């Protein structure tokens, strides 16, 4: 990389996705600082330079600076990647308001979720907490398991920003031969695609765990996509975005992959385990659980039918039997495929 293209990049969140993105940014020539909020975990990461509980056999590049000091991590940073679970994004953004964030920095949200209490997407939270960064906001999403990105397995994602120049800047800064980045202006669609698919991934896992078969699981994905884009359209997204990387692409990988925690969680539930028990056994966030709560509220508010997501919510939180949920889905009034 030419010295003039070298950026100071702050990665906020040193979980599996933060580490994978940190290594990626470093390997393409940027100067990376990785922030971990937990001081004990930060110290351990600094000493061991790996986090096998969330990302096995991946070493954090020696030149990445690991810190527990948020101010130090964002000092002079031109790109700030937000890579914490969605339910803590607001608290991290609030901390940024108290810190020395550079006014021309671009915030790139890499989390996938909707805030349950307010039903806000991350861009809307940025608008509330750091309004001057609204035009300097982008979201990065798509089929990108950290385990594969960290091994430089070819991956394609999409970056959306309402500002074309900001979108191009992020695209050109993070694109590489194994991490191909497409560009979009549809922030609403890209954010919703990445968030809503996690609920459908839980449904796919339930199918696997309960032994429903390939036909059932294959039916789930396009019908899941239909309800995702129905809500998206109501909220102002371009329905075509859901046919792209952050919609269909991410849905396919999350419903099929052994790396998907949401699919795994669903599989355990499908086998008859209780949600609390499954969550206890997981070290990493499964965003689909919280997102199912948000989706039920959001779809009710917007008066949009999302039958699969509602059934996932009932299975997770109301102890509904997966067989009963499937029966109710199939007993719905028959209708045209596209409505
Ligand atoms: N892992 C992936 O493959 C992947 C891919 C694409 C998107 N994502 C999304 O990225 C986000 C992060 O996922 P992850 O897999 O890295 O999660 P993770 O559970 O591996 O790590 C989360 C990180 O957030 C930190 N954290 C937890 N609570 C915090 C708080 N209160 N304040 C500040 N930091 C806190 C943790 O210490 C850790 O560093 C999620 O929204 C996820 O959906 C993950």
């Amino acid at each position: 990389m030419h010295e003039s293209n070298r950026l100071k990049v702050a990665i906020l969140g040193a979980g599996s996705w933060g580490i994978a993105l940190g290594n990626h940014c470093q390997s393409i020539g940027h100067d990376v600082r990785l922030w971990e909020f937990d001081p004990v975990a930060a110290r351990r990461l600094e000493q061991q330079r790996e986090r096998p509980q969330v990302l096995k056999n991946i070493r954090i590049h020696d030149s990445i600076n690991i810190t527990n000091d948020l101010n130090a991590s964002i000092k002079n940073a031109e790109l700030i990647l937000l890579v914490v679970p969605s339910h803590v994004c607001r608290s991290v953004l609030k901390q940024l308001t108290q810190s020395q964030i550079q006014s021309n920095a671009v915030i790139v949200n890499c989390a996938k979720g909707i805030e349950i209490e307010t039903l806000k997407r991350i861009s809307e939270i940025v608008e509330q907490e750091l309004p001057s960064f609204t035009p300097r906001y982008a979201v990065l999403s798509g089929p990108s398991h950290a385990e594969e990105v960290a091994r430089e397995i070819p991956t394609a994602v999409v970056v959306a920003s309402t500002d074309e120049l900001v979108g191009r800047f992020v695209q050109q800064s993070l694109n590489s031969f194994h991490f191909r980045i497409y560009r979009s202006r549809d922030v609403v669609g890209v954010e919703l695609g990445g968030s809503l698919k996690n609920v459908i991934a839980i449904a796919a896992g339930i199918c696997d765990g309960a032994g429903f078969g390939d036909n059932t699981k294959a039916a789930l994905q396009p019908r899941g996509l239909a309800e995702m884009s129905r809500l998206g359209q109501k909220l102002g997204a371009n329905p075509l975005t859901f046919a792209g990387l952050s919609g269909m692409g991410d849905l396919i990988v999350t419903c099929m992959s052994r790396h998907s925690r949401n699919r795994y969680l669903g599989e355990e539930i499908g086998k008859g385990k209780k949600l609390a028990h499954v969550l206890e056994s997981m070290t990493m966030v499964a965003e689909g659980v919280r997102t199912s709560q948000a989706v039920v509220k959001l779809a009710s508010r917007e008066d949009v039918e999302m039958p699969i997501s509602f059934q996932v919510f009932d299975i997770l939180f109301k102890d509904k039997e997966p067989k009963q949920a499937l029966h109710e889905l199939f007993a719905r009034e028959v209708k045209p495929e596209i409505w």
Side-chain angles (χ1 to χ4, degrees):
M1 175 182 282
H2 192 274
E3 197 56 30
S4 61
N5 294 328
R6 186 182 170 95
L7 298 177
K8 287 195 166 45
V9 180
I11 312 265
L12 308 185
S16 56
W17 194 213
I19 293 173
L21 285 171
N23 273 357
H24 167 68
C25 290
Q26 189 72 37
S27 72
I28 58 175
H30 297 309
D31 176 7
V32 177
R33 274 159 285 169
L34 183 61
W35 175 71
E36 167 55 56
F37 92 115
D38 175 347
V40 177
R43 217 167 307 124
R44 200 179 310 126
L45 266 185
E46 237 187 317
Q47 287 160 359
Q48 302 176 349
R49 304 203 75 82
E50 59 175 1
R51 201 165 194 173
Q53 308 88 333
V54 298
L55 199 57
K56 284 195 180 66
N57 303 320
I58 296 295
R59 195 177 153 73
I60 300 173
H61 281 221
D62 288 333
S63 41
I64 292 180
N65 181 290
I66 300 169
T67 179
N68 172 240
D69 180 342
L70 185 62
N71 243 328
S73 72
I74 60 159
K75 192 169 178 221
N76 300 327
E78 288 127 326
L79 269 185
I80 298 176
L81 272 55
L82 189 59
V83 206
V84 290
S86 59
H87 66 279
V88 305
C89 281
R90 188 184 289 275
S91 90
V92 173
L93 290 166
K94 271 190 197 296
Q95 293 172 62
L96 283 182
T97 62
Q98 315 292 326
S99 60
Q100 290 150 14
I101 182 168
Q102 203 165 273
S103 63
N104 66 348
V106 169
I107 296 179
V108 184
N109 165 43
C110 306
K112 296 174 176 175
I114 300 166
E115 194 172 53
I116 301 177
E117 300 79 12
T118 62
L119 304 183
K120 301 269 184 226
R121 293 172 282 102
I122 309 300
S123 58
E124 297 174 298
I125 301 177
V126 168
E127 223 171 301
Q128 288 183 328
E129 301 297 338
L130 287 163
S132 62
F133 283 87
T134 302
R136 306 188 63 75
Y137 169 89
V139 51
L140 182 146
S141 193
S144 51
H145 283 308
E147 293 81 353
E148 298 195 355
V149 172
R151 287 177 175 74
E152 304 195 344
I153 289 174
T155 298
V157 294
V158 57
V159 158
S161 176
T162 50
D163 187 311
E164 176 69 10
L165 290 179
V166 169
R168 277 181 192 273
F169 170 67
V170 177
Q171 181 182 38
Q172 280 158 9
S173 304
L174 300 182
N175 190 68
S176 81
F177 288 122
H178 54 83
F179 195 66
R180 183 168 170 78
I181 305 187
Y182 289 82
R183 198 173 65 245
S184 163
R185 302 281 289 273
D186 185 10
V187 169
V188 181
V190 170
E191 285 188 325
L192 283 176
S195 305
L196 301 177
K197 58 89 195 177
N198 282 330
V199 182
I200 308 301
I202 293 178
I206 293 172
C207 265
D208 290 339
F212 288 153
D214 295 345
N215 289 355
T216 323
K217 196 168 150 190
L220 200 65
Q221 293 171 53
R223 294 318 303 159
L225 200 59
E227 65 182 56
M228 286 164 59
S229 56
R230 206 150 51 226
L231 179 65
Q233 222 172 333
K234 189 76 187 276
L235 294 172
N238 179 346
L240 283 179
T241 298
F242 292 88
L245 289 160
S246 71
M248 193 196 298
D250 213 353
L251 187 66
I252 291 172
V253 83
T254 339
C255 288
M256 308 304 284
S257 172
R258 67 203 151 93
H259 298 305
S260 166
R261 303 157 216 175
N262 292 288
R263 197 208 59 77
Y264 165 80
L265 178 137
E267 186 171 355
E268 296 300 294
I269 300 283
K271 286 177 186 162
K273 294 204 181 127
K274 295 280 173 244
L275 177 62
H277 181 69
V278 183
L279 288 176
E280 237 169 60
S281 69
M282 294 178 72
T283 44
M284 295 184 278
V285 62
E287 290 272 19
V289 175
R290 285 174 187 275
T291 307
S292 74
Q293 295 171 278
V295 167
V296 162
K297 289 210 248 174
L298 194 52
S300 304
R301 187 190 79 188
E302 296 297 325
D303 196 19
V304 172
E305 281 190 61
M306 299 190 72
I308 299 171
S309 302
F310 275 61
Q311 291 293 353
V312 169
F313 175 82
D314 284 355
I315 293 172
L316 294 181
F317 293 102
K318 296 186 180 167
D319 278 337
K320 188 184 269 188
E321 280 298 319
K323 278 199 176 75
Q324 176 62 22
L326 188 66
H327 173 75
E328 287 176 21
L329 285 172
F330 272 73
R332 280 166 57 81
E333 187 193 351
V334 286
K335 47 175 70 70
E337 186 176 24
I338 296 165
W339 51 279

